[in-house]
Amino acid sequence: MAVASLSGLTFTTLEPRLTDSHGRVIHDLRVSITDRCNYKCVYCRTGEVGAHYPELQIEEYLRLIRVFVGLGISKVRLTGGEPLLRRGLVDMVKELATWRTIEGEPLDLALTTNGHLLEELAAPLKAAGLNRVTVSMDAVDAATFEQITRIPGSFETVLRGVRAARAAGLTPLKINCVLLRGFNDNQVEGFARFAREEGVVVRFIEFMPLEEGRLWTPEIVVTLKEIVERIGRVLPLVEMPAREASETARRYTFADGVGEIGIIAPVSQAFCGACSRVRLTSDGKIRTCLFSQVEHDLYGRLRAGADDEELRDYIVRTVKGKEARHHIGEPGFLKPSRSMVHIGG
Ligand code: SAM
């Protein structure tokens, strides 16, 4: 039986670890704290003002996260929508940074952002106790970048945010780039040079069918194999060993040892067998897979007055039903009812 002490509260867990019925241990929680976003990336959003899901109070997210941490969650990633839009974020990080895992270690606290507001927020977030940040950037030339985000001036703003994050010590700084054939696949080689020049880890992500519109086809996906071949032609790559089984990215360094890139290949080389993640949406629903067809209303339980014990039981039961894998590209594949921006990436 494990004992956790969080912000002065001590409680016990009946399960030593949160596990699913496929034998996977779940230790990674992604929490969307808003599904609002200040960008309208063409591969993610339609550009129309759509409806948003409700947001919880920051205290309510904290209460739910605390129950997850009591069940063995050791890594919390705050996301959205755009999490830097959320008022109360810095204080939320400050609180989370005081918590301990059931092993008594500090939580691994990370955040994913488009970087637009990072120049002002990097130092306060680091001071609050954030460990790492991942910035999404889908091009290294300003014109392509702004065609994708549809926000004039966004490239320079994000670049300043990236540099502020590095200067604040939010490292290793990761840059995530979703590649789409015909949109930004001409950026691959430029990103390899960017990784070396800026001292950041660039991670290419295969495009998944999670957009608001209907853009995804197998042909638009730029696969791991193709990315490795293309970079290898200009800068030879050497694959690095995985640090842990649940690592999503295949990691490469350059032959001269300077710089690192990663490739996350959920489409061409799915890693569901090693998945250690669950998600909490901005309105407090548990999603056990990005491609879940069902959501589990954890916040509904909280609102109805459930105590921590009841919330814990609900989470344990829900996670047991985590899907074995996704079915992207297979006949009968169904897109989930929410797009990436409303789930939390
Ligand atoms: N606004 C924050 C950001 O831009 O990083 C957090 C939310 S955003 C939805 C998280 C990540 O999901 C971004 O890196 C984005 O590029 C990625 N993403 C969005 N739609 C995607 C898709 N269909 N396939 C793969 N990645 C996607």
Side-chain angles (χ1 to χ4, degrees):
M1 189 180 291
V3 180
S5 175
L6 309 171
S7 293
L9 287 168
T10 301
F11 55 82
T12 57
T13 61
L14 299 175
E15 298 249 333
R17 280 285 174 197
L18 201 52
T19 52
D20 69 11
S21 59
H22 308 283
R24 295 172 296 196
V25 178
I26 307 304
H27 53 76
D28 181 345
L29 176 67
R30 304 206 168 188
V31 184
S32 171
I33 55 174
T34 178
D35 71 336
R36 289 173 289 126
C37 190
N38 41 0
Y39 280 9
K40 294 176 286 185
C41 298
V42 289
Y43 63 86
C44 185
R45 314 203 35 212
T46 58
E48 290 147 25
V49 181
H52 290 288
Y53 289 86
E55 293 172 5
L56 310 191
Q57 302 290 319
I58 294 290
E59 294 68 32
E60 293 172 323
Y61 292 119
L62 287 169
R63 165 124 188 256
L64 297 179
I65 298 170
R66 196 186 64 197
V67 178
F68 274 102
V69 172
L71 284 165
I73 290 292
S74 56
K75 177 172 172 185
V76 175
R77 177 173 291 276
L78 302 178
T79 183
E82 174 45 43
L84 300 193
L85 289 175
R86 188 61 205 259
R87 197 172 295 172
L89 168 67
V90 174
D91 285 340
M92 181 181 191
V93 169
K94 208 177 280 177
E95 172 64 18
L96 287 169
T98 67
W99 293 7
R100 294 291 172 268
T101 66
I102 57 176
E103 281 87 19
E105 302 292 325
L107 285 179
D108 182 6
L109 266 183
L111 178 135
T112 301
T113 173
N114 60 27
H116 196 79
L117 299 172
L118 198 54
E119 189 180 12
E120 310 96 269
L121 281 169
L125 284 168
K126 175 69 184 177
L130 188 70
N131 301 124
R132 282 170 296 108
V133 68
T134 299
V135 182
S136 304
M137 277 185 79
D138 298 310
V140 281
D141 83 72
T144 309
F145 189 89
E146 288 162 26
Q147 267 163 22
I148 294 173
T149 63
R150 297 189 268 204
I151 303 294
S154 51
F155 181 74
E156 284 302 326
T157 309
V158 171
L159 199 55
R160 286 198 303 275
V162 166
R163 290 175 178 160
R166 212 185 42 206
L170 288 166
T171 51
L173 186 63
K174 290 181 186 155
I175 303 289
N176 277 358
C177 166
V178 178
L179 285 175
L180 282 83
R181 197 176 308 286
F183 284 75
N184 63 344
D185 56 326
N186 60 350
Q187 303 288 304
V188 172
E189 295 83 359
F191 262 119
R193 284 187 283 273
F194 183 82
R196 291 158 65 84
E197 286 161 13
E198 293 286 332
V200 295
V201 179
V202 171
R203 303 188 321 164
F204 298 102
I205 307 176
E206 289 178 350
F207 180 47
M208 295 177 277
L210 285 168
E211 71 282 28
E212 281 180 349
R214 293 205 168 266
L215 197 65
W216 194 91
T217 60
E219 293 72 36
I220 207 169
V221 179
V222 184
T223 63
L224 177 142
K225 184 168 176 288
E226 182 177 340
I227 297 168
V228 170
E229 278 170 13
R230 283 185 47 183
I231 296 180
R233 266 181 241 137
V234 283
L235 289 163
L237 289 173
V238 179
E239 186 158 3
M240 297 158 83
R243 281 170 299 206
E244 53 184 58
S246 60
E247 196 162 60
T248 50
R250 296 264 294 269
R251 299 186 306 130
Y252 300 81
T253 184
F254 297 95
D256 62 5
V258 179
E260 179 181 329
I261 66 151
I263 305 175
I264 302 175
V267 180
S268 71
Q269 301 190 20
F271 39 80
C272 305
C275 184
S276 59
R277 278 171 293 285
V278 284
R279 288 177 159 80
L280 191 63
T281 61
S282 59
D283 57 339
K285 307 265 167 55
I286 300 174
R287 291 188 66 95
T288 48
C289 173
L290 270 176
F291 295 93
S292 292
Q293 293 298 321
V294 282
E295 299 181 337
H296 307 272
D297 190 7
L298 182 63
Y299 178 62
R301 300 312 183 271
L302 182 151
R303 211 183 33 215
D307 62 17
D308 283 358
E309 192 68 45
E310 288 163 326
L311 295 175
R312 200 153 49 234
D313 287 349
Y314 185 71
I315 293 171
V316 168
R317 269 186 283 123
T318 300
V319 168
K320 281 281 177 242
K322 181 172 162 67
E323 297 79 346
R325 63 185 185 92
H326 69 63
H327 297 275
I328 300 175
E330 295 174 18
F333 168 80
L334 286 175
K335 246 173 100 165
S337 58
R338 293 194 199 211
S339 58
M340 189 69 138
V341 68
H342 301 293
I343 294 174

